[in-house]
Amino acid sequence: ISGSKKTNKSDSSNKTQNKKKGLVIREGGPEMLSEDPDINDRTLFLCYPDEDIMPSQADESEEEDSRPLSMAAACLEHYTGDTIIHVGELFCDTLSVDQAPWGRSSANEFQERLGCEYHCILKMKLENNWLHVRDTLSVWKRSESCCMVFQGSDEDEEDEGEEEVEYKYIPPEEMLPVDVAAPCVAHLLKKKGDNVKSREQNNVNEERKRKRNDEAKQHSQIAGNAW
């Protein structure tokens, strides 16, 4: 633990400060996330946690339940906090054919659970990416759940009545935009009003440019007459 500056307070006060502030380092594996109460509510940072794991490396003859979890998936198993920061490629963001569609950074079992139990609130491109990778920094927040009750049809005799279905609840201020377009088709997302506003703004800019040119001509004529 990185200690704080020395003060005149008691040792117990210093220990309390150390628990709340500074970098905490523990020797061990993902199980430390649930065993140590000082770190179980901190933000989990995962950077290329499963880089050496490829889909083709899984033994198909081995039962799925008996295969060991990847490091990232094991971290999710023990993590009890609310926020995860992931650095690397995610589902369908990779250019690698051999590692598609999950990417070269984290195992599919981790990404499936991450997408099921969390929702992404930030995703940004890294400035210094290699040409053959599409790494991003993404921030994920644990999702709350809510139930929706559906009334069964009276005509269906096999229907036993009401059915409860569980869904993730994502507050509106934490939802990512749905509309996404590549530059070649970005014009399809523009609304009619946007085109009108754009033309009006162009007209205003042209008028300002014309006035500046007229003023510049007048100043040059005055200067020429004075000479």
Side-chain angles (χ1 to χ4, degrees):
I1 303 175
S2 62
S4 58
K5 295 182 179 179
K6 292 184 178 181
T7 60
N8 295 327
K9 296 182 180 180
S10 62
D11 293 340
S12 59
S13 299
N14 289 337
K15 290 180 180 179
T16 302
Q17 290 179 1
N18 290 339
K19 289 181 179 180
K20 294 182 179 180
K21 299 179 180 180
L23 175 64
V24 178
I25 299 177
R26 294 289 187 271
E27 183 179 354
E31 66 279 356
M32 295 300 298
L33 293 172
S34 58
E35 293 178 358
D36 193 333
D38 292 341
I39 62 175
N40 57 12
D41 61 344
R42 289 178 174 240
T43 297
L44 176 61
F45 178 77
L46 296 173
C47 180
Y48 267 64
D50 304 322
E51 182 178 6
D52 296 331
I53 296 180
M54 296 181 62
S56 59
Q57 293 178 348
D59 188 358
E60 297 180 356
S61 62
E62 190 176 5
E63 294 183 2
E64 184 176 355
D65 295 338
S66 62
R67 290 202 302 265
L69 292 175
S70 69
M71 194 193 82
C75 287
L76 280 187
E77 188 72 21
H78 293 277
Y79 182 60
T80 58
D82 295 327
T83 306
I84 295 176
I85 300 176
H86 177 273
V87 176
E89 293 182 333
L90 290 171
F91 180 73
C92 287
D93 274 348
T94 183
L95 300 176
S96 172
V97 176
D98 294 333
Q99 295 161 316
W102 304 101
R104 56 190 297 118
S105 312
S106 49
N108 61 321
E109 55 193 354
F110 162 78
Q111 295 191 46
E112 289 174 0
R113 184 167 181 177
L114 180 69
C116 182
E117 299 179 6
Y118 295 77
H119 58 275
C120 185
I121 59 175
L122 173 68
K123 186 176 181 182
M124 58 184 294
K125 179 182 67 174
L126 299 184
E127 293 184 1
N128 298 320
N129 257 338
W130 294 97
L131 294 176
H132 63 290
V133 297
R134 295 186 64 189
D135 293 332
T136 58
L137 184 149
S138 56
V139 181
W140 300 74
K141 189 172 182 180
R142 189 184 294 273
S143 303
E144 297 181 1
S145 60
C146 63
C147 289
M148 295 183 64
V149 181
F150 295 89
Q151 181 66 41
S153 175
D154 296 335
E155 299 177 358
D156 192 354
E157 298 180 356
E158 297 180 358
D159 200 336
E160 297 180 356
E162 296 180 349
E163 178 185 7
E164 290 189 4
V165 182
E166 189 174 3
Y167 290 87
K168 288 197 302 186
Y169 170 71
I170 304 177
E173 64 272 14
E174 296 180 3
M175 288 186 178
L176 292 180
V178 177
D179 294 336
V180 180
C184 59
V185 291
H187 62 281
L188 298 177
L189 292 181
K190 291 183 178 180
K191 299 178 181 179
K192 295 181 179 180
D194 295 339
N195 295 331
V196 175
K197 292 180 180 179
S198 179
R199 287 196 297 268
E200 292 177 352
Q201 186 62 40
N202 290 336
N203 294 334
V204 171
N205 293 337
E206 289 294 332
E207 182 64 21
R208 290 176 180 174
K209 185 177 179 180
R210 185 185 63 78
K211 289 182 179 179
R212 287 196 298 267
N213 292 335
D214 293 342
E215 292 175 357
K217 289 180 180 179
Q218 291 177 2
H219 288 305
S220 62
Q221 290 176 358
I222 295 174
N225 295 333
W227 176 259

